[in-house]
Structures are given as structure tokens and as C-alpha cells.
Amino acid sequence: MSSLQPVRGTHDLLPEQMRAHRAVSDTARHVAALYGFDEIATPIFEKTEVFKRTLGDTSDIVTKEMYTFAMKEGEEITLRPEGTAGVARAFMSNGLSQSLPLKLFYSGPMFRHERPQKGRQRQFHQFGAEFLGVPKPEADAEIIALGVHILRELGVYQDTKLELNTLGDVESRKAYRGALIEYFSAHRDRLSEDSLNRLEKNPLRILDSKDEGDRELVATAPLFWDYLNEESRDFFEKVKSCLDALGIAYEHNTRLVRGLDYYGHTAFEFTTTALGAQGTVLAGGRYDALVKTMGGPDTPGVGFAAGVERLAMLSDRVVEAPRPLAIIPMGAEAETMAFKVASDLRYAGHRVELGYSGNMKKRLTRANRDNAFAAIILGEDELAQGAVTFRDLTSGEQELVKLDLLEQRLHSYL
Ligand code: ATP
Ligand code: MG
């Protein structure tokens, strides 16, 4: 029955995949903590305005990819397509402008209605970091350094390339915008329909177009670099010199723009060729205009978001389940006893599997299948002596251990 299939573009994370997924987000969370980032969780849906206002009317997300619903009360809500807008909204709702600078980490599901393919789902997961309240290029470098550290810890850094660009300040963007409008207007007939739309509203967007024809035009478009004012160049140079000081390699990609409206100055992406067409694994930049756009106090910010599924695919690491201890009771009296032993060991912090039925051979096979590192056998003989048989399932060696010494004997396995 087709209704038994998950919705197109969504996936179940079965235990094995979930472990790999967890390993990615736990690693990110752990590294972010080393940089002083505290975790925050915002709701997975927000008023549609939150995304519309911040991401911009011409962004792919707003024009095509949002899951928007009308509530009974008439209000429109949207499943979050990304994390930054929600964090900025939370920053304002909770009056956090008193506690700047703020370093926030988040992790969770995002929703975008796009064509599903390898590395592109309709429900996917991101973790991200937002650094609010510091307008200086050092903050950009620290955010990038955090990204590098996470990728290294995941063992995928060597498979990625850091692409870096600057989108300048407001004045530079205005000058560049003018140049782009002039250039693209002269080639109007060759632009895709989407880009014709972008031409008046946000010509920078055209640089990010995935349309073949657009891309040909983009290749010979004016360069942002030529329209940057001195402040913007200085800012970019400072970001680069901080990265140099940390020994972080990058490539200046003058065509790199971020898909969202709220970015200025630094834009960066860690890309890989190992995942086919979906090559960006972690991307971000500076968004000084965001909070103000939402009606909040002028608050600078810089951050990134990373795709958990893409990173899990790239790291291709099989995360084994922790190995349990198997308890094997033989006989009615031992069954009851086994319950108590299992409970005591679990309270002491051990992972314990309790076999319920079958003969000894069957239960040992089960224990091996569960990848148990040891079995604790409770038989009549053992019970009579107030002891259990402890069998190491790797070496096959076994010994009799008094019940009251069992926890002590197992302590080294914790
Ligand atoms: P793309 O160009 O691949 O569409 P994007 O610019 O839309 O990416 P961002 O909004 O910057 O992506 O999101 C940050 C990261 O989240 C991406 O680099 C990617 O790893 C991941 N990501 C984005 N969309 C999806 C998706 N639909 N499925 C899986 N991962 C995604
Ligand atoms: Mg996208």
C-alpha cells in the first residue's frame, strides 16, 4: 500500500543510520562547546513572515521551497526551511540583546519542497552556529575556524575545499547591483524567466542561478571585487589574514554568493566533489542586516549551517552499537534472579541484554548476535554457590564470580 511508504523526500533513520547521524551532530555540538557556543532549540514552525521577511521575496526558498499552512485562526505558518531566521526571532522575542555577544548552536530537522535526489531531501537535518553582536572580521574567522574544526573532527576536512568571498557592505552592494542591472539588462533575451524576475528585485541572485543559460551569462558578468569600497576590502583582508594565521586554506571564489538576502561581507562554503552534484556540506556568512530587517535592534551576526545527511554520507563511518553484556539464566529460580542481577548492573551503568527463552546454546548464539562482549550465566550450580559464571565471549575464557563481587569484577568494562 503506497500509504505505507514515507512521504517523498523524507526518510526513516533506522538505528544504524541514526547512530551515524548522531555521531555527526554530537561531534558538532561537542566542538561548538569548545568555542563557547551554547545550544538553543527553536520551534520547527514559525509564522510565515519570519522567513519571508528575512530570506527575501526572490530567494529559491521563499519562491518555491516553503511548506506553508493556513491555521484555523487564519494565521499562516511555515515549517522552518533553515535555522537562522528562527534564532534571530528568538533573540528578539526573548530580549536577548542585553546579553550580547551571544554564541548559539542548534541542530534539528529542516523542510524544503525541492526535487528529491541523492543528498537532497524534503526533510533533512542541519546543525548550525550563530555568533551575534560582534561586527569584527575576527568573528567571521572564528566561525570559519569552528567549521574547520568540526569537519576535521568528523574526518572529512581533507575531502573539502573552503571557498570564500565577500559581498561587501551596503554601499558596495549598491554599486555592484547597479553594474549587474546594466549588464544583465543588455542580455535580457538570454535570461531565464526566474532571473528576469530577479533582475529588478535582486540581481545578485542571478549569480547563484542553476540555469545553464544564466550561468553562461554569469561567467562574463562584472566582478564584485571591482565594486568594493575600501572598508569592504579591508574587512575581507582581515578575515583572510586571520585564516592565514590559523593555517586555514581557502580559495577566493569571486562568484560565490549566498542564496539569501540578509548576507553581507563574508560568504563561505565548504564544498566537496565526493557527493556528486550536491557538493556543499557547510555554508555561511555574515548577516549584519538580518535582525534589523526583522524589526529588531541593529545587531551584527555571522554564522553557518551544515547538512547532517551530507556529512554523514561523506564521513561514511559505520558507528557500531555499544556492546552489551548478556545475562543467561537457566531454570525458573535463575530467571527471577537474573532480573535482579540485570537491574543492579543497569543501575551501575552497564548495557545489559536479558535472554528470556531457549536452551543455553540458543541463548549464547543470541548473545553473539547481539555482539555481547561477555555472558553472565546463572545456572543451578552457580545459584547454589551464590555466584555466576562470567564468560568472555571473545576469548571464551570463563570464571566463577561471587554475586556480591560481580559489580567490582565488571567495573573495568564500564
Ligand atoms: P544547495 O545549493 O545545495 O541547494 P543551499 O544553498 O540551499 O544548498 P543552505 O541553505 O546554505 O543550502 O543550507 C546549508 C546546508 O544544508 C547545505 O550546504 C547542505 O549541506 C544542507 N542542505 C540544504 N538543503 C538540503 C536538502 N534539501 N537536503 C539535504 N541537505 C540540504
Ligand atoms: Mg537549496
Side-chain angles (χ1 to χ4, degrees):
M1 193 165 81
S2 72
S3 63
L4 291 182
Q5 294 301 316
V7 172
R8 189 165 131 80
T10 69
H11 294 279
D12 300 308
L13 290 165
L14 298 177
E16 190 183 321
Q17 294 148 332
M18 192 65 214
R19 281 197 299 274
H21 191 101
R22 270 270 165 221
V24 170
S25 54
D26 285 353
T27 301
R29 183 177 291 109
H30 169 77
V31 177
L34 301 178
Y35 288 70
F37 284 73
D38 257 335
E39 189 163 9
I40 182 173
T42 63
I44 62 164
F45 52 84
E46 297 273 353
K47 294 175 186 164
T48 300
E49 271 307 295
V50 170
F51 304 112
K52 261 201 180 147
R53 283 269 284 281
T54 56
L55 306 182
D57 291 338
T58 56
S59 68
D60 277 355
I61 292 184
V62 171
T63 52
K64 306 177 212 158
E65 299 175 359
M66 296 206 304
Y67 282 98
T68 297
F69 306 89
M71 296 284 87
K72 281 204 186 101
E73 311 83 65
E75 192 170 53
E76 256 197 8
I77 60 155
T78 293
L79 298 184
R80 64 180 184 195
E82 57 99 48
T84 307
V87 170
R89 197 271 309 137
F91 168 77
M92 291 182 279
S93 312
N94 296 285
L96 298 180
S97 56
Q98 302 308 311
S99 11
L100 290 171
L102 265 178
K103 292 190 271 186
L104 300 169
F105 173 88
Y106 65 82
S107 164
M110 304 292 162
F111 308 85
R112 297 185 192 177
H113 188 271
E114 40 188 345
R115 196 167 67 78
Q117 48 198 295
K118 184 179 172 224
R120 194 175 292 284
Q121 296 99 251
R122 289 180 171 176
Q123 175 174 337
F124 61 101
H125 298 76
Q126 285 184 338
F127 63 80
E130 315 292 358
F131 191 172
L132 294 166
V134 180
K136 299 172 75 175
E138 285 81 355
D140 307 47
E142 195 171 15
I143 272 287
I144 293 174
L146 169 59
V148 168
H149 198 150
I150 292 172
L151 296 175
R152 287 179 85 113
E153 205 64 30
L154 291 172
V156 303
Y157 181 55
Q158 72 283 355
D159 302 323
T160 66
K161 185 171 80 180
L162 169 58
E163 299 184 37
L164 189 66
N165 194 19
T166 173
L167 305 176
D169 61 7
V170 178
E171 185 188 87
S172 306
R173 275 202 301 287
K174 213 168 151 190
Y176 186 48
R177 192 190 138 93
L180 284 181
I181 293 184
E182 197 175 316
Y183 171 81
F184 285 118
S185 296
H187 300 94
R188 210 169 245 292
D189 49 322
R190 288 169 60 195
L191 278 181
S192 70
E193 200 169 316
D194 276 346
S195 287
L196 273 174
N197 255 327
R198 297 172 181 131
L199 186 55
E200 305 302 327
K201 290 190 196 147
N202 191 349
L204 244 86
R205 271 274 145 61
I206 302 176
L207 302 178
D208 202 21
S209 172
K210 283 166 184 151
D211 177 89
E212 270 308 312
D214 288 350
R215 295 190 80 93
E216 270 173 35
L217 273 181
V218 166
T220 50
L223 287 179
F224 209 150
W225 191 249
D226 298 325
Y227 295 84
L228 287 178
N229 59 19
E230 205 179 320
E231 290 80 25
S232 299
R233 285 193 186 208
D234 286 350
F235 193 99
F236 191 52
E237 290 306 325
K238 184 73 195 167
V239 174
K240 289 199 293 183
S241 65
C242 289
L243 295 179
D244 291 338
L246 292 172
I248 295 173
Y250 50 82
E251 204 169 276
H252 182 184
N253 174 358
T254 54
R255 302 285 175 198
L256 176 70
V257 289
R258 301 282 304 134
L260 311 176
D261 267 356
Y262 50 62
Y263 285 99
H265 286 300
T266 314
F268 63 93
E269 290 190 354
F270 288 85
T271 58
T272 179
T273 51
L275 294 178
Q278 271 54 57
T280 307
V281 290
L282 188 153
R286 178 163 282 281
Y287 50 81
D288 292 347
L290 172 68
V291 177
K292 198 151 182 217
T293 308
M294 297 178 80
D298 211 345
T299 311
V302 57
F304 67 69
V308 177
E309 283 83 358
R310 289 189 198 174
L311 284 171
M313 257 197 290
L314 189 59
S315 80
D316 197 23
R317 191 148 53 106
V318 178
V319 184
E320 302 283 354
R323 302 180 69 177
L325 255 173
I327 302 209
I328 302 183
M330 300 305 303
E333 202 185 329
E335 295 269 0
T336 319
M337 190 66 191
F339 247 78
K340 178 77 174 102
V341 174
S343 173
D344 288 349
L345 290 176
R346 285 166 178 159
Y347 271 95
H350 294 279
R351 229 184 138 88
V352 177
E353 284 294 336
L354 192 52
Y356 283 112
S357 61
N359 59 23
M360 173 81 96
K361 186 158 172 272
K362 243 188 172 154
R363 293 197 206 199
L364 276 172
T365 311
R366 258 274 294 290
N368 275 316
R369 204 195 57 203
D370 290 339
N371 200 22
F373 68 87
I376 290 176
I377 300 160
L378 271 149
E380 275 172 24
D381 292 352
E382 283 90 349
L383 277 185
Q385 302 178 59
V388 300
T389 295
F390 174 76
R391 181 190 294 191
D392 185 311
L393 291 176
T394 315
S395 66
E397 273 171 36
Q398 60 179 48
E399 65 190 277
L400 204 66
V401 181
K402 287 276 182 203
L403 260 175
D404 51 2
L405 294 178
L406 187 58
E407 261 182 63
Q408 201 184 320
R409 173 68 184 82
L410 290 174
H411 193 74
S412 62
Y413 292 97
L414 275 178

